[in-house]
Amino acid sequence: MDHMPENWGRPRNDVYGEYQSAIHNAGQGPQSRTQTPSITGTSVIAMKFDNGVMLAADNLGSYGSLARFTDQERLIKVGNETVVGISGDASDQQYIELLLERLLIEDNYPQDGHHLRAPHIYEYLSRVMYNRRSKIDPLWNAILVAGKNDDGSPFLGYVDLLGVTYSSPSIATGYGAYLAIPLMRKIVSEEADAKNVSEEQARKVIDECMKVLFYRDARSLDKYTVATVTLDGEVKMDKNVRCQNMNWRFAEGIRGYGTQKQ
Amino acid sequence: MYAEHFSEPATSHVASAPIEHQFYPYASNGGTILAIAGADYALLAGDTRHITGYSINTRFRPSIHTLENLGGPERAIVVAANGFSADGDALVRRLAQRAEWYTYNHNKPLSVSACARLVQTMLYGKRTFPYYVHTIVAGLDESGRGEVYSFDPVGSYEREQCRAGGSAASLLMPFLDNQVNKKNQYDAATGLPQVATDLPLEETLKLVKDAFSSVTERHIHVGDYLEIKIVTKEGVKVEYFPLKRD
Amino acid sequence: MSDPSSINGGAIVAMVGKDCVAIACDMRLGMQALTVSNDFPKIYQYNNTFIGLAGLATDVLTLSEVFRYKVNMYNLREERDIEPETFANLVSSTLYEKRFGPYFVGPIVAGINSKTGKPYICGFDLIGCINFAKDFVVGGTTSHQLFGMCESLWEPDLEPEDLFETISQALMNAQDRDAMSGAGGLVYIITKDKIVKRLLKTRQD
């Protein structure tokens, strides 16, 4: 007599083989892996100039419309001469940081004359992003990679959750694509234009872009980081920068989507 | 930017049910490609604009890939996969790898016809999760004649004299029928239909530039620059031609 | 394919030349993929003004009668022919009357002003928004193909015979790349004192 009630009413193991409890325990509906982003970072913007690449991202981690974290760092220095800027899901950002840390350690063979530069990191990230989208389990981010090529020229590339990649002398993710790109393209529309733009000029435009984004992007912050990758091999991280000379007078004139009556 | 991925599925659902965020693994990145085969050349052209939605991501992203081959520069194969650019890149990279292995394994050049069959198996291999691209392969055959092969996203393919693919294919294709294959044109003296003859390269180049300039005028996905790769017995020549940027 | 404007199929195109205009259409009437008729012209003449109606065939026939009635009333009231510009505004307001239950058509108007002698063409959307074009207008399920053909074949100041060749080649090659239109072609070449109507014999598939 079997005294274990959970075994009662089951096909006998010695006759029919082990009971396949996996079928019994299977959940309802199809397997679902696709996540939705929860803590998110907004735009990352970047442009080339005569001596390198400059990029900026604010320090906000949003939880829906709630400004949840106000000291998120979204520009990550990878190695000595590359900066990766990440927008989108913050937990996926942390996972990407983990991957990049591993990559840096595993590919650290300077004695072979090999240096892990921006194009290599970009290639790696784009493969990771495309593979995850092909598993229908994407990393919910849009990423900019900035640094320099093996020949010493500046590098700037974009990759997103679909694995879509492209390069341009000025790139922005999220709302930056609508609000910052037009401002940046005024001075660097073509690859050749970057040679005529100084670091100071670039910084002025980047600061202006971050201000415009703070004016109009509701999920943004007036506190941001500016990273500058120069061709002499240095990365400057200017943290806790604040939007300057803001003028909110225009806000009075905005009508139509608030609670005001007229 | 993420808004498109947050959109609800088209099917209606009960209002009280939780909204499921659906991930759509495809996008459209615009652009148009065009290939023409001649007696002693094959030509593959495409614009360099890359878009998502109404945004121009970059004005210069060359999309015609050259596969180096055994048997000299004239055996090079040019290929472009237009549509969802991440899939296009993945397909072209994988094809380049497979083509290279072929030359190692067989120690002979990969013919364009064999390359085309390879592309078919690669596209059909992802029949249940297709590469969202219109693919065109072009090069010279053993005798030096130009050949063009075009594919649908799941691998149906055909050898042709000319083919347009991508966003503005529907604008380009009838023009090609008319000017390359002489469709609906009749000989004034005999009244018989004109027969298509191989066009000289100079004329083809003029035709391609004209066609793209016209299409740029009417299609917002097309513009910035035209990249033309020409395979002749001298090898692959690349030419760039400016298009309107609006 | 339950989209009303692409059930029956059709191609319309109009072009301006030197002191002349041309308007052309295909001859197909279909029910989705099935070709029902190869004798369904879509161009109607009112006085010296022409209108091409592409879209839902029932609306094409209805509107052609509505315009016939309205132009006849105009002729009786005004005791003169209607000018293309005036007719275009009549088309526009007729379509806009049905703003929230529209006729599923994409009309194109072509003609020469009898006073000024100036060629006139224009196109409309289904609720009457006028597209004043200086070169050419296209319409119907074949519009993409027609845009590609016209943009590359058309040039300014074509003489009537050259304009006929241009519009015919544009129409025929465009409709050959559209399964929903074809089965022949109809071309009108309009000059100040002569109207030439030609039927194009084309492939029937």
Side-chain angles (χ1 to χ4, degrees), chain A residues 34 36-37 87-88 123 130 133-134 136 138 140-142 158 162-168 174 178 185 189-190, chain B residues 1-2 5-6 21 23-27 29 50 55-58 61 84-87 89-90 93 129 131 225 245:
Chain A
T34 308
T36 60
S87 61
E123 195 63 51
Y130 182 72
R133 92 94 218 190
S134 297
I136 320 288
W140 216 286
N141 305 97
Y158 167 100
L162 290 167
V164 168
T165 57
Y166 54 84
S167 288
S168 183
Y178 307 115
R185 284 205 184 143
S189 173
E190 295 281 300
Chain B
M1 150 108 237
Y2 296 110
H5 303 295
F6 278 84
H21 295 303
F23 175 66
Y24 186 67
Y26 293 113
N29 300 114
H50 188 276
S55 296
I56 298 172
N57 298 324
T58 177
R61 196 183 119 111
F84 173 38
S85 73
D87 273 352
D89 290 351
R93 288 168 65 115
F129 184 23
Y131 287 121
Y225 296 96
R245 293 153 67 89

Side-chain angles (χ1 to χ4, degrees), chain B residues 11 46 74 88 94 107 119 127 132 155 195 213 217 227 236 241:
Chain B
T11 50
E74 75 270 24
R94 223 148 66 81
N107 194 225
V119 170
R127 173 65 180 80
Y132 232 69
V195 274
S213 303
E217 202 69 32
E227 182 192 32
V236 181
F241 178 73

Side-chain angles (χ1 to χ4, degrees), chain B residues 175 177-178 183-184 214 218, chain C residues 151-152 169 173 176-177:
Chain B
F175 179 68
D177 291 339
N178 189 218
K183 289 282 164 65
N184 292 111
S214 297
R218 291 286 178 180
Chain C
E151 193 63 58
S152 43
Q169 288 295 328
N173 290 285
D176 283 353
R177 279 286 172 184

Side-chain angles (χ1 to χ4, degrees), chain B residues 191-206:
Chain B
L192 293 169
Q194 283 195 28
V195 274
T197 49
D198 292 310
L199 294 171
L201 179 57
E202 294 312 306
E203 202 175 314
T204 304
L205 277 171
K206 266 196 274 182

Side-chain angles (χ1 to χ4, degrees), chain A residues 46-67:
Chain A
M47 66 187 279
K48 291 185 184 176
F49 60 96
D50 60 358
N51 194 38
V53 193
M54 189 178 288
L55 55 173
D58 71 22
N59 298 329
L60 184 63
S62 302
Y63 181 69
S65 59
L66 175 71

